[in-house]
Amino acid sequence: MIQVAPSLLAADFARLGEAVEIVNRSDASLIHIDVMDGVFVPNITIGFPVISAINTIARKPLDVHMMITDPGRYVGQVRDAGAHIMNVHWEACTHLDRVVHTIRQAGMKAGVTVNPATPVEFLGDIISELDLVLVMSVNPGFGGQKFIPNTISKVKRLREMIAASGSQAVIEVDGGVDLSTAPSLIAAGADVLVAGSYVFRAPDPVKAVADLIKLSEA
Ligand code: DX5
Ligand code: ZN
């Protein structure tokens, strides 16, 4: 069954606690938190004090998506803020193998994220070390963007790579996910769907999460 990770980026930041409570009440598997530095991506969002505050009330594991340069500098702080999964970008790490091992040694699950123009094949020599691969289906930096259809074939190729390598990595997809784009992602082999605008702009976000999950039951 597909898992859903609502992205708090689309929540009303003046009511962040209420958004976390909504995710708590829903059938979501994770809470997705987008950290941006204004360098790796052209936007700045939230940092460690806010993640720690979310962690005090969250009843779902925190999936922290680091859209920052050289994220290996912050492994300890991400762990101390309460992250369950730390996602770092392939494009942002010169020494990816070291960063992945540091994340795992810190007791978190290690995720590697690829931008839309980065082939999943670039993960071939590290796939067996990963707990998760996050495939970006928009260019990172902003919520509410249009889904890039090429993502479907990337997820299929990644699914084959994972099967061939015996890796335990799960496949997560982030950007432009809604009821129209999710079915082909599920068919292609995605395990976790991140959804921001679709969930938090819905009249009933709890139902919106349930509706996404139902797609994989059909
Ligand atoms: C984009 C972020 C996403 C974003 C997705 O850089 O990584 O997590 O919140 O937003 P939607 O679901 O609105 O495309
Ligand atoms: Zn994200």
Side-chain angles (χ1 to χ4, degrees), residues 7 9 32 34 36 65 67 136 138 140-145 174-177 194-197:
S7 167
L9 188 62
H32 186 84
D34 292 297
M36 304 186 192
H65 178 190
M67 282 161 277
M136 289 308 299
V138 297
F142 303 93
Q145 302 182 84
D174 185 5
V177 170
V194 177
S197 315

Side-chain angles (χ1 to χ4, degrees), residues 58-77:
R59 296 201 304 274
K60 313 275 181 177
L62 305 187
D63 169 28
V64 178
H65 178 190
M66 301 295 288
M67 282 161 277
I68 73 167
T69 54
D70 200 3
R73 293 172 292 163
Y74 294 107
V75 172
Q77 285 179 77

